[in-house]
Amino acid sequence: MTDAAAREAQEPILWKLADNASEQIEHALTLALASDGPPRQFWHLSEDGRQITGVVHAMMLPVPPIYAGKAGEPGLIMPDRYVAPDASPDTSAILMQAAEAALTQAGASITLSTSVPGDGWQNTFEQQGYTPLTLYLSRTGFPALKTPSAVRPATTADVPGIVHCSAENRKTLFEIDPFWEFHPEADQRFFDWMTISLGLRDRDMMVLGSPGALQGYVIAQPATRLHFPPAHDIAGTGVIDDYFHPDFADHLGKARESGPPTLLLEAAEMAFARRGIKAVFVVCPAGWRSKRETLEAAGYATAMIWSIKRHSMKPVKSR
């Protein structure tokens, strides 16, 4: 609760505490510790005598179906962690090492860490060999604008074009970091998922251009627990992960403060505003300068960092 309250104090809209935050924490912790089979979540405590001085949470992360996952499931050190002010100075590093050891013992040859700017953990991770992989840029509140007329809701006729754009997006991702190596059946899997997504009422799928000459797409969808500890209320938070325009293809190119990518972003923001969403995360690889700078020009700032550390690789069969 202390950890969650510190995030809320820093950004009260994005990290809003749930009314029953304590109960949600207890429920999530009980489920994690009481689950049958090999553990997929790990909690570690640091103690001084009988006094708990710190806690860290980690989990095994399923590989999304469109990615190859040749290194197996990565481990993820979650953002819900805490070190007491009077704890030993090395407590953060010891907790992190305990979480990392549990993940590698569970089979992770890659571990990911999460940090929120200002929480003091990023330096600890960097000292242990982690480098930034993905940025989650956030913005709260949107201007009273209309959805750009050039952007329209996606239809089934747009799915092939969206898949083509996604393939271009994955190509750029792989150029940035081989962590994002895609599955041989990625196009078909993404086609199937986009077809299903069109029928989901909790998201808005929007495109730019005609079905036969699609120029880009964006999906405004609700937040999930993967990025938010159980203490936080995510009902008013959205996420943009699938978002691409050819202007982003050169990941080292210069940002444009206006243009087609910005139109797509504004359309997603308006979709969120209509649903009462007040805070948004946009997923952006740390090395994708053109996308990051476009988001920053639109008023977004980094609210979370995922960093990566590679251990001895253990290739596994693609799913």
Side-chain angles (χ1 to χ4, degrees), residues 138-150:
S138 179
R139 180 179 178 181
T140 57
F142 308 108
L145 300 175
K146 294 183 179 180
T147 300
S149 59

Side-chain angles (χ1 to χ4, degrees), residues 32-314:
L33 297 181
S35 62
D36 297 328
R40 295 188 58 82
Q41 294 194 51
F42 307 91
W43 291 81
H44 289 82
L45 302 174
S46 59
E47 293 180 314
D48 184 358
R50 295 185 176 181
Q51 181 68 36
I52 294 176
T53 59
V55 61
V56 67
H57 177 205
M59 65 175 287
M60 297 297 290
L61 187 65
V63 178
I66 64 173
Y67 295 106
K70 289 183 178 179
E73 291 186 335
L76 175 64
I77 302 176
M78 301 291 284
D80 44 347
R81 53 182 176 256
Y82 178 74
V83 173
D86 58 351
S88 171
D90 59 354
T91 302
S92 296
I94 291 173
L95 285 169
M96 187 279 296
Q97 291 165 5
E100 185 180 279
L103 293 170
T104 55
Q105 186 175 357
S109 59
I110 290 175
T111 51
L112 305 171
S113 66
T114 59
S115 64
V116 174
D119 70 1
W121 281 85
Q122 188 61 23
N123 287 339
T124 298
F125 290 125
E126 290 179 356
Q127 290 168 3
Q128 297 297 323
Y130 287 80
T131 56
L133 176 70
T134 305
L135 307 178
Y136 293 83
L137 291 95
S138 179
R139 180 179 178 181
T140 57
F142 308 108
L145 300 175
K146 294 183 179 180
T147 300
S149 59
V151 180
R152 59 181 176 80
T155 68
T156 54
D158 296 308
V159 173
I162 292 174
V163 172
H164 175 76
C165 287
S166 175
E168 293 298 310
N169 181 65
R170 293 194 303 272
K171 180 181 177 181
T172 303
L173 283 171
F174 184 70
E175 289 175 357
I176 295 172
D177 195 295
F179 174 79
W180 286 293
E181 183 176 2
F182 48 88
H183 193 279
E185 299 175 6
D187 282 352
Q188 184 59 53
R189 293 181 175 193
F190 195 70
F191 182 96
D192 294 341
W193 175 237
M194 289 297 97
T195 302
I196 293 172
S197 295
L198 281 171
L200 300 178
R201 297 184 177 182
D202 64 351
R203 64 201 60 203
D204 294 274
M205 300 172 59
M206 291 157 288
V207 295
L208 191 63
S210 62
L214 211 64
Q215 299 173 29
Y217 76 107
V218 64
I219 301 178
Q221 60 194 52
T224 68
R225 280 295 167 205
L226 180 60
H227 305 106
F228 292 84
H232 297 291
D233 181 355
I234 61 174
T237 305
V239 171
I240 299 173
D241 189 356
D242 297 294
Y243 170 38
F244 182 76
H245 186 276
D247 284 0
F248 288 146
D250 179 6
H251 65 275
L252 295 178
K254 293 184 178 180
R256 295 170 57 183
E257 294 188 10
S258 61
T262 302
L263 294 179
L264 286 166
L265 182 62
E266 290 176 352
E269 291 174 345
M270 293 305 98
F272 281 132
R274 288 193 296 270
R275 291 179 178 270
I277 298 296
K278 298 180 179 179
V280 173
F281 258 159
V282 182
V283 184
C284 179
W288 202 326
R289 189 179 75 179
S290 57
K291 181 178 281 190
R292 173 178 54 82
E293 291 183 351
T294 295
L295 291 166
E296 290 173 343
Y300 287 77
T302 299
M304 180 181 284
I305 303 169
W306 280 28
S307 298
I308 187 171
K309 180 177 180 180
R310 291 173 169 88
H311 308 275
S312 58
M313 300 297 288
K314 301 176 182 179

